[in-house]
Structures are given as structure tokens and as C-alpha cells.
Amino acid sequence: MRILLLVHSFNSLSQRLYVELAHDGQELSIEFDINDDVTCEAVELFRPQVILAPFLKRAIPSAVWRRHLCLIVHPGPPGDRGPAALDWAILHNPQTWGVTVLQATGEMDAGPVWASAEFVMRQARKSSLYRMEVTEAAVVAVRTALRRIVAGKRPAPQSRSIHNWQPPLRQTERAIDWQRDPTSTVLRKIHSADGFPGVEDSLFGRRFRLFDAQPEGRLAGRPGEIVARRDQAICRATLDGAIWIGQLQPVTDGARDFKRPATLALGSLADDLPCSEAGDENDRPTRREIRYEERGAIGYLYFEFYNGAIGTAQCRRLREAFLQARRQPTRIIVLMGGSDFWCNGMHLHCIEAASSAADASWDNINAIDDLAQEILTTDTQLTIAALRGNTGAGGVFLALAADLVLARSGVILNPHYRNMGNLYGSEFWTYLLPRRLGQARAAALMESRLPLGAAEALAIGLIDAHAGPAADDFLALIRTRAATLGDAAQFAGRLATKRARREHDERCKPLAEYRAEELQRMRLNFYGFDPSYHIARHRFVHRAPHAWTPLHLARHRRPGFGRHPDTAGG
Ligand code: COA
Ligand code: THG
């Protein structure tokens, strides 16, 4: 089928559907929802049989939905309507929730239903539910809908009685009452607005939007009082306990601001807060960005960074934790990353917030390289990167520094930098990528700028195995592969092979040389005459709306498209 993805932006859900449908052999193209005329133009150029809208904020014009079958992916069960479906679901906390694929009509989300899929609700932030449960259910529901369309079936009309329009949520409805709301309510309110738009609140007499909340089991204080800091997060007392807040977005009149680590947003206001250590006991909930755990000869290193972005300070802390893990008498170190993201490379928000974005970029990339170098040169253990969540840019190459790369079947990889204003990239990618793919295929992958699914990544040799998409199935794969790799009888031999290969590669071309060459190009990206990287980062961080769809996504806009239907686009 020829399917046009019409999207507000090519977000994680759209990328996952793109990858899955491409895998099914569908003919796909993508158009950003810029305005009605541009949408009509795209439809004329591509002549799709189905228009699929996995992430759309505006109405599809009637000229389009009257003439073409348009499918809306709604993150709610049949009957649920409105732009804040998940926000309401988290606040109301039903046992199950769902995803519906419905046909676009003149009334928002009220069209007939082609398919739906259900999932069990989990107490988590909105973005996490969206990237995990909603995404998996959407893949199932979209495939069902397409199968039913091909089979000539009809959609089920929505019955008026169960219509349930849920309006957008206002900040006044999201507001926390620190004197009355127990911890569970505070968490639910912040989770329901995370990653967008956050819950507006006052801290030290200033307005901020709160994100990245976690419960704290030991600290306490007067309700609403800020009682401690840890890493870059702050701890705030509730009626019956306390919570950590990791990210704040300053609320400034007019200008559209962006979120950043809490202490960075607070500046000197946070200076006098007492530093609290996470400690070793695990019996009470607390915030641990980096966590290490050992099971026999296997060490597991978790790093739960918000949105997978790894700032300079985080790189240094993770490097220390990795060195500490390396000193243990283990045979395997598994780099577990975070549950939603493994890693997305340098922290573009922190860089944007810095007084010199160029200097901050330089420090950040050097700190990641220092970390990558330690992983690469580890000769006392074998290392595994376990990608439980999506991974992009520098994060992918950081993973390739490990000896074995495993992925959960549902994850999306974006193994390229160029979407960020032609950023050259570092993290030893010029060594790591050809090592796996060869020079030609490495160059092609970097140029493609397209997301990869785990199956595709395995097929080209970017990763070594995948399992899932259920988290438990992937965990089972991690455990077996770690056990096999760490098998005592063969471990010494494997380690010797690894050392020999590293020494051989080092003689051919030292790691320092790869790093110096990459950083020379990065220096130009940061300090040179071409400001593309700074512009792209600014637009990314400030969520500037798209003005056109790039040609690597909009196949229907490439020169020659349609003239040779079998070869156009490629
Ligand atoms: N720094 C800061 N924030 C980042 C980030 C980074 N490196 N990578 C992702 N994020 C944030 C996004 O801004 C978004 O924020 P939100 O909480 O406001 O929604 C969230 O993480 C990602 O959400 P998701 O929906 O999965 O992202 P996406 O689908 O829009 O796109 C990527 C996924 C990987 C293509 C995209 O996030 C990306 O291009 N990231 C930048 C990677 C990069 O260039 N890193 C620097 C080079 S090393
Ligand atoms: N039919 C048509 N177009 C559609 C849908 C449809 N476009 C996408 C849409 N479904 C997806 N669902 C919604 C439902 C409601 C709103 C947006 C997308 C909505 N938006 C508010 C507005 O536009 O004013 C703003 C909401 C906000 O503040 O976030 O109400 O079924 N043809």
C-alpha cells in the first residue's frame, strides 16, 4: 500500500510506525503538517491509498479527508476523544487504557473506528507510557486497521452514548496544592504533564514548570519546602513525604523557554540547599541517576538520564561509576542505560542554556569521548550495551564502544548526527562504525538520516541481537548473553582475543588519532563560520515549528519521483 504519514513532527511514535510499516513492505512517504495547502500538495504528489496520522495536532482539511481514507492514531480507547487523552488517563488512573485507530471526519476524533488495542496502565510519566505501552499498542492497532482495509471491511461507527470529549487541561487544573495533595497526587499531576507541558508552580518566588518527578522515602519537611539537592535535582517536601524534581522550565512572559536540570535553572538560588547522598540502602524509594548492581560475575550499570541526554557532569559521573565497576572482580559489565532511552548523546538543552554554547558543546563532547574511550579500552571485562529504550546520535556510538550490542525489539536507533545542523560527530564513530559495517555502508548509514528498527539494525550488523518488544523478554536475552559471554571456561580466551584486536587496531591507527580528527571537525561545527549546528540546536531545543519537510523524509518531493515508480526515491 502507498501510505503517507502526515505528522506534526517525526517523533518516536511516527518513527516506530514508519520502521514497522517499511518492514511490512509498505510504500511510505512523510509530510509535516505545515498548512492545508502544503498537505493537499503532498497528497497530490504522492497519491496515497491511506493517510496515516500518528501525531497530529491540527484538523486534516475536509478536501483531504473527504477524498482519501485518513487514519488517526488516538492514544485512548474507542469513545475517548480530545488532545489530552493520556494526561486525563494518568489523572483518573483506570486499570486499562488503549489506542484507537479511527477515521478522520469533520468532528475531531469522532470518526468510525478501524481498530483498537488495549494495555494495562502503569504508574509512570506520560512520555514513558507514550514511548512504551502506547507505541506497542499503536503498532498492533495500525496493522489491524490496514489488514481490515485491504480485506474490504468497514469501520465501526462510534456510538454517541460513549462519546467522551476530554478537553485540553489548563494549568489551573494541573496545579499542585502542597498543603493538601499527598505525594501520590503530586506525582500523578507531574507525571500527567511530563514531557509536555509540565506543571506550573512557584519555587523561591519564581515561576517554573516542573518535570521529572520521583518519590523520596527518607527526607521530609514542611509541605512545599525545598529540603535538599542531589546531582542536579532538588527535593521538595510534601504533606506525607517528599519528591525529587529533576527538570525545570522557567516561565518567562512572552518568550518560549525550555526545560533544563533543576539546579541549572535555579542558579544561585539552589546554592544553600544541603546535598543529600543516595546511600546504599534500597528499601526506600529515592532518586539514583546512576546505579550499579552485581549478580555473580556480571555487573549491571544503569544510567537513567532525563530524555537520554548526557551532559558534561553526567558524563563525568558515569565515567567514575564505570571505572568503579571495572575495579570489581566481575567478568562482564552490562551498560543498561535508562528504561525509556539508552542515550541520546550530548545534552542540547544544557548547551543551549550555557553562556557560551560553543564552549559547552566542546566540554560535553570531550566528556563523552572520555567515557567512550574507557569503555573501548576496558581489558579486564567484556562489555555489553543493552538498549532497553531508543538511542540517537552520540548515544548509538557510545553503545558501539561495547563488545556486544543488544536491543529490545521495539527500540528505534538514529545512528547519525547530520539532522543536527550537519554535526560531524565524535564518540570514535569513525573507528566504531566501519569496524561493524565497512567504510561504504558506514558512510551510507550516516548520510541516510533515517531511523532504524532493531530488526534492520541487526540485518546490517549494527547490533548483535534483539528480543522483545516486552521488557521481560529482552531482560532474558541480556541475562543469557551475559552468562554465555562470561562463561568461566572461555572467558580468558575471549578477553585475550579482545586485547589482541585492540592492540592490532591501535597499531593500525591509534584511538587518539581518530579522536583528534573527529574533534577537529567538531571544532569547526562549534566555532567555525557555518552556524548550522547552533541554529539547528536552537530550533530543536525551542521546538520551533517545521517550515518544510526535508527530502530524506518526503520521498514524493524528490526530483523525479513518480516518473519511474519502481526506482524513484530508493
Ligand atoms: N539533548 C537534549 N534533549 C534531547 C536530546 C538531547 N541530545 N535528545 C532528545 N532530547 C529530548 C527531546 O527534546 C524530546 O524532549 P521532550 O521531553 O520535550 O519531548 C525528548 O528528548 C525526545 O522525545 P522523542 O519524542 O523520543 O524524540 P523525537 O522522537 O522528537 O526524536 C531523536 C528522537 C533522537 C531523533 C531526537 O530526539 C534527536 O534528534 N535528538 C538529538 C540527538 C542529537 O543530535 N544529539 C546531539 C549529538 S551527540
Ligand atoms: N479529524 C480531522 N482531523 C484530525 C482529527 C480528526 N486531526 C488530528 C486529530 N483528529 C487528532 N486529535 C485532536 C483532537 C483535538 C484537538 C487536536 C487534535 C484539539 N486541539 C485544540 C485546538 O486545535 O484548538 C488545542 C488543544 C491543545 O491545547 O493542545 O482540540 O478526527 N479532520
Side-chain angles (χ1 to χ4, degrees):
M1 250 197 249
R2 210 161 42 249
I3 302 171
L4 180 70
L5 267 68
L6 180 62
V7 296
H8 172 73
S9 73
F10 198 33
N11 72 341
S12 55
L13 176 61
S14 316
Q15 295 192 6
R16 175 71 185 284
L17 286 168
Y18 173 86
V19 159
E20 296 287 344
L21 297 180
H23 189 80
D24 294 348
Q26 311 286 17
E27 190 188 343
L28 303 171
S29 194
I30 300 159
E31 182 76 19
F32 291 156
D33 180 32
I34 313 283
N35 67 44
D36 291 357
D37 290 342
V38 176
T39 299
C40 290
E41 184 186 65
V43 170
E44 259 163 51
L45 286 169
F46 193 53
R47 306 205 164 276
Q49 286 147 294
V50 171
I51 296 165
L52 181 63
F55 177 43
L56 194 57
K57 296 187 171 182
R58 301 185 328 126
I60 297 175
S62 64
V64 172
W65 66 257
R66 281 185 201 283
R67 277 183 234 145
H68 300 266
L69 178 54
C70 298
L71 300 179
I72 306 287
V73 180
H74 175 74
D80 181 82
R81 297 174 54 203
L86 277 177
D87 310 48
W88 284 111
I90 291 166
L91 293 174
H92 292 153
N93 199 24
Q95 292 215 319
T96 61
W97 197 244
V99 170
T100 304
V101 175
L102 52 88
Q103 189 169 333
T105 62
E107 205 183 339
M108 294 292 242
D109 302 341
V113 172
W114 279 98
S116 65
E118 216 182 54
F119 59 84
V120 177
M121 267 300 261
R122 170 171 61 99
Q123 286 195 23
R125 40 191 85 156
K126 174 169 67 169
S127 54
S128 180
L129 283 169
Y130 186 79
R131 288 183 189 116
M132 296 293 167
E133 285 85 347
V134 169
T135 299
E136 296 306 333
V139 170
V140 172
V142 166
R143 280 212 172 100
T144 308
L146 295 177
R147 224 180 301 118
R148 298 191 64 228
I149 289 164
V150 171
K153 298 253 171 55
R154 305 297 316 154
Q158 293 203 44
S159 82
R160 289 274 141 194
S161 59
I162 57 165
H163 269 189
N164 194 4
W165 174 262
Q166 303 268 30
L169 269 152
R170 292 181 300 251
Q171 281 297 340
T172 48
E173 295 164 282
R174 297 189 189 268
I176 294 166
D177 183 343
W178 293 94
Q179 307 306 319
R180 291 215 184 92
D181 290 342
T183 304
S184 57
T185 306
V186 175
L187 283 175
R188 187 165 300 152
K189 283 181 173 175
I190 300 177
H191 283 349
S192 75
D194 202 343
F196 178 83
V199 172
E200 201 168 312
D201 201 0
S202 288
L203 292 168
F204 301 106
R206 298 219 206 139
R207 303 296 288 170
F208 293 96
R209 286 183 178 182
L210 318 182
F211 303 86
D212 188 16
Q214 277 169 285
E216 161 60 37
R218 261 185 311 139
L219 301 169
R222 275 181 291 109
E225 185 188 4
I226 299 160
V227 292
R229 58 184 285 174
R230 175 178 304 161
D231 300 332
Q232 291 174 296
I234 55 166
C235 182
R236 194 166 195 190
T238 60
L239 202 61
D240 55 348
I243 61 155
W244 289 98
I245 298 165
Q247 303 281 319
L248 295 174
Q249 175 178 325
V251 176
T252 31
D253 294 326
R256 196 161 166 192
D257 221 313
F258 56 92
K259 54 186 127 166
R260 61 200 73 170
T263 57
L264 192 63
L266 289 169
S268 58
L269 293 173
D271 282 353
D272 295 334
L273 292 172
C275 283
S276 155
E277 298 289 335
D280 290 330
E281 47 171 315
N282 278 317
D283 54 337
R284 276 185 269 192
T286 192
R287 180 187 163 93
R288 266 193 192 84
E289 251 187 342
I290 299 172
R291 187 163 60 84
Y292 178 74
E293 164 188 301
E294 237 171 70
R295 286 169 172 250
I298 305 166
Y300 295 87
L301 187 59
Y302 295 81
F303 40 101
E304 194 74 62
F305 300 135
Y306 189 76
N307 279 341
I310 183 166
T312 304
Q314 286 157 326
C315 288
R316 290 179 182 152
R317 271 188 270 124
L318 185 54
R319 183 175 166 275
E320 285 307 318
F322 181 75
L323 293 180
Q324 178 71 22
R326 221 162 67 171
R327 286 191 285 270
Q328 308 310 308
T330 52
R331 292 195 284 271
I332 305 291
I333 300 175
V334 188
L335 301 165
M336 294 291 281
S339 50
D340 289 358
F341 291 100
W342 195 80
C343 180
N344 276 330
M346 54 186 198
H347 203 311
L348 299 169
H349 288 225
C350 289
I351 290 169
E352 189 69 22
S355 54
S356 163
D359 289 351
S361 303
W362 182 252
D363 291 346
N364 202 162
I365 199 64
N366 274 285
I368 299 192
D369 282 358
D370 290 343
L371 170 62
Q373 192 162 331
E374 296 298 353
I375 298 171
L376 250 169
T377 56
T378 297
D379 63 359
T380 40
Q381 280 98 347
L382 295 173
T383 53
I384 301 178
L387 315 184
R388 296 181 292 157
N390 295 350
T391 304
V396 178
F397 303 101
L398 194 61
L400 297 192
D403 300 311
L404 192 72
V405 183
L406 308 176
R408 191 176 60 79
S409 301
V411 306
I412 295 294
L413 296 102
N414 276 284
H416 38 73
Y417 302 90
R418 293 198 46 196
N419 286 340
M420 198 52 63
N422 269 328
L423 196 63
Y424 184 76
S426 189
E427 291 98 1
F428 302 96
W429 77 265
T430 53
Y431 167 61
L432 295 167
L433 200 58
R435 178 169 94 158
R436 277 185 172 266
L437 307 189
Q439 286 293 353
R441 287 202 301 162
L445 185 69
M446 281 303 229
E447 284 301 308
S448 86
R449 303 182 173 207
L450 286 170
L452 287 183
E456 231 179 326
L458 177 67
I460 63 168
L462 189 70
I463 64 170
D464 299 296
H466 66 88
D472 285 350
D473 293 335
F474 182 47
L475 201 59
L477 176 74
I478 299 172
R479 296 254 159 86
T480 14
R481 295 304 288 260
T484 314
L485 208 59
D487 175 52
Q490 295 181 44
F491 181 70
R494 290 207 174 104
L495 204 59
T497 309
K498 174 180 174 175
R499 282 187 184 141
R501 182 190 186 195
R502 182 81 282 284
E503 280 161 19
H504 170 267
D505 288 357
E506 187 69 17
R507 275 194 304 275
C508 291
K509 179 169 171 178
L511 279 182
E513 212 170 293
Y514 287 102
R515 179 171 172 159
E517 283 169 8
E518 289 168 5
L519 288 180
Q520 199 178 357
R521 300 289 295 268
M522 286 295 248
R523 194 170 255 291
L524 283 178
N525 288 138
F526 301 155
Y527 296 98
F529 286 113
D530 178 357
S532 300
Y533 155 71
H534 294 291
I535 293 168
R537 188 199 59 244
H538 181 87
R539 296 182 63 85
F540 176 83
V541 168
H542 288 270
R543 312 212 136 261
H546 296 291
W548 72 89
T549 312
L551 290 186
H552 71 278
L553 301 178
R555 298 181 50 211
H556 53 280
R557 294 187 181 278
R558 290 186 205 165
F561 176 83
R563 267 187 275 142
H564 309 285
D566 293 326
T567 52

